[in-house]
Amino acid sequence: MFKKIIVLAATSVAVLAAATGTAQAQDKPLLNASYDVAREVFAAINPKFQAYWKSKSGHDVKIDQSFAGTSRQAQDIIQGKKVDVVTFNQVPDVDILAQRGLLRKDWQKAFPNNSSPYYSTIAFLVRKGNPKNIKSWDDLVRDDVKLVFPNPKTSGNARYTYLGAWLYANEKFGGDQEKTRQFVGKLLHNVVNFPTGGRGATVAFAQNGQGDVLLTFESEVINIAKGEEFKAGGYEVVVPPVSVLAEFPVAVVDRVVDEKGTRQLATEYLNYQYTREIQLLLTTFNYRVNHPDVAKVVADRYPKVRLIDPTKVLGSWDDITKTHFGSNGVLDQLLAKR
């Protein structure tokens, strides 16, 4: 009798442990760290993924979100924030995680299109009627034009703005570095507000009435101009004929998912962004996509613009970061003059 009780007790403990383990596996949330203006995008993507995962695995999944400038997000992760996946808006902020051993160094090979499910460029949002007659980058360095965009020290969004101006000027002046520096320096001089992230820049321009032009992702300026929140402002979108290619890299944070046991879930979550359904959904937020079928369907929706890949002109992202955004780099030098 005593032996039977021991066996029953042991069996009960084993069953309880197995049930607890299953519950824990199902209850582990997925944390996605993303860029500052991605709230609406993932508010749309996440419920669809949850339904997909439920139908595939039979499990419910909770997806937690963190939004901020991606450079700040990267620093938080380095300092211990337990993030399963990153969905950033610039490569260097993923690279720095790889350099710290948080994820694989060849992370861009893990998913299609260099691990970039979608892309955009930098465009301009101007006030109703475009009173300053803004058409291209040249207009942004005029003395009578004031600008708003995030701080390139904290925002991937703003780094693309800086690079867009630099690449345009580099072409305009035939590679003359001094003239290019003067052009970008003048643009920085015209900035009246440097919020830490893209959402703060939107608030400064659209709610607080600062500046004549908001510089941010094409997707964001279209969303602002057409969205209900700011529709009354009558804002207009200007896409310059030449601008920068802005890719949106994604990656699994290997160290975290291996610790939490969420690798399969994290990988499925990022792969899901490449499905036709989500690629089509992304275009409703005015992102550009590489999916051949979807890209063809929505081709007429986007203005014609020649996009310049920064790495084809300025070297690797590591070179770009060290030269322009590192301590006492070109950006710091130009900001000091400002």
Side-chain angles (χ1 to χ4, degrees):
M1 181 68 178
F2 182 67
K3 288 183 179 179
K4 183 180 289 187
I5 292 173
I6 292 176
V7 171
L8 288 173
T11 303
S12 299
V13 170
V15 170
L16 180 60
T20 302
T22 302
Q24 287 176 344
Q26 292 181 22
D27 292 341
K28 287 177 183 175
L30 188 77
L31 178 55
N32 172 22
S34 198
Y35 52 98
D36 199 40
V37 295
R39 290 168 175 81
E40 291 77 12
V41 175
F42 287 103
I45 290 176
N46 289 346
K48 291 183 177 295
F49 177 77
Q50 288 170 315
Y52 160 80
W53 186 251
K54 177 73 171 180
S55 67
K56 178 175 180 175
S57 69
H59 295 170
D60 293 316
V61 59
K62 182 174 183 286
I63 303 174
D64 292 328
Q65 287 287 166
S66 173
F67 299 105
T70 57
S71 295
R72 194 175 103 192
Q73 290 276 39
Q75 289 304 314
D76 287 347
I77 295 168
I78 290 169
Q79 291 169 14
K81 189 174 182 177
K82 301 297 184 181
V83 169
D84 299 88
V85 298
V86 294
T87 52
F88 282 177
N89 57 20
Q90 64 162 351
V91 169
D93 286 331
V94 187
D95 276 342
I96 194 171
L97 300 180
Q99 291 164 9
R100 297 299 182 95
L102 288 160
L103 51 88
R104 52 189 279 190
K105 290 189 176 180
D106 63 344
W107 62 269
Q108 284 187 291
K109 295 180 179 179
F111 300 96
N113 305 319
N114 291 322
S115 290
S116 177
Y118 51 100
Y119 66 100
S120 189
T121 188
I122 294 298
F124 315 147
L125 190 71
V126 300
R127 302 198 180 278
K128 186 175 182 178
N130 194 4
K132 294 296 179 77
N133 194 29
I134 304 298
K135 295 180 180 179
S136 73
W137 293 96
D138 286 320
D139 297 311
L140 305 186
V141 297
R142 290 174 7 211
D143 291 338
D144 65 324
V145 174
K146 300 304 177 187
L147 313 174
V148 174
F149 63 88
N151 191 332
K153 300 296 288 185
T154 57
S155 167
N157 174 337
R159 290 190 179 192
Y160 278 120
T161 293
Y162 169 94
L163 289 172
W166 187 278
L167 292 167
Y168 171 80
N170 183 69
E171 269 196 3
K172 175 184 175 71
F173 299 118
D176 187 314
Q177 294 298 289
E178 187 54 38
K179 289 182 179 179
T180 298
R181 288 173 67 105
Q182 290 175 2
F183 183 95
V184 177
K186 177 59 176 172
L187 182 137
L188 293 171
H189 175 78
N190 283 354
V191 176
V192 294
N193 194 332
F194 265 140
T196 58
R199 188 50 54 99
T202 297
V203 169
F205 179 82
Q207 289 186 355
N208 300 341
Q210 298 181 358
D212 304 301
V213 186
L214 171 68
L215 288 84
T216 186
F217 291 123
E218 174 191 50
S219 52
E220 177 72 354
V221 297
I222 297 174
N223 291 340
I224 295 168
K226 294 184 176 181
E228 290 299 320
E229 185 177 3
F230 301 112
K231 193 173 183 180
Y235 302 112
E236 299 180 17
V237 175
V238 176
V239 179
V242 179
S243 197
V244 61
L245 171 65
E247 295 182 302
F248 289 68
V250 300
V252 172
V253 183
D254 295 305
R255 184 182 294 178
V256 174
V257 298
D258 288 341
E259 178 183 312
K260 291 174 58 178
T262 53
R263 177 174 290 278
Q264 181 187 0
L265 178 62
T267 303
E268 287 269 9
Y269 179 72
L270 295 185
N271 271 324
Y272 187 66
Q273 295 189 36
Y274 290 89
T275 62
R276 188 184 190 282
E277 178 186 17
I278 300 305
Q279 290 279 288
L280 196 57
L281 175 66
L282 287 163
T283 67
T284 68
F285 289 92
N286 303 298
Y287 289 105
R288 301 181 184 230
V289 298
N290 290 302
H291 190 290
D293 177 36
V294 176
K296 185 177 181 180
V297 169
V298 301
D300 294 338
R301 186 181 299 176
Y302 301 97
K304 300 297 182 184
V305 55
R306 180 166 59 85
L307 299 180
I308 303 176
D309 183 342
T311 63
K312 298 292 177 61
V313 179
L314 303 176
S316 69
W317 276 112
D318 191 43
D319 292 336
I320 293 170
T321 300
K322 289 177 181 176
T323 300
H324 291 272
F325 305 120
S327 179
N328 200 35
V330 177
L331 174 63
D332 280 351
Q333 295 168 26
L334 295 178
L335 288 175
K337 292 182 180 180
R338 180 176 178 272

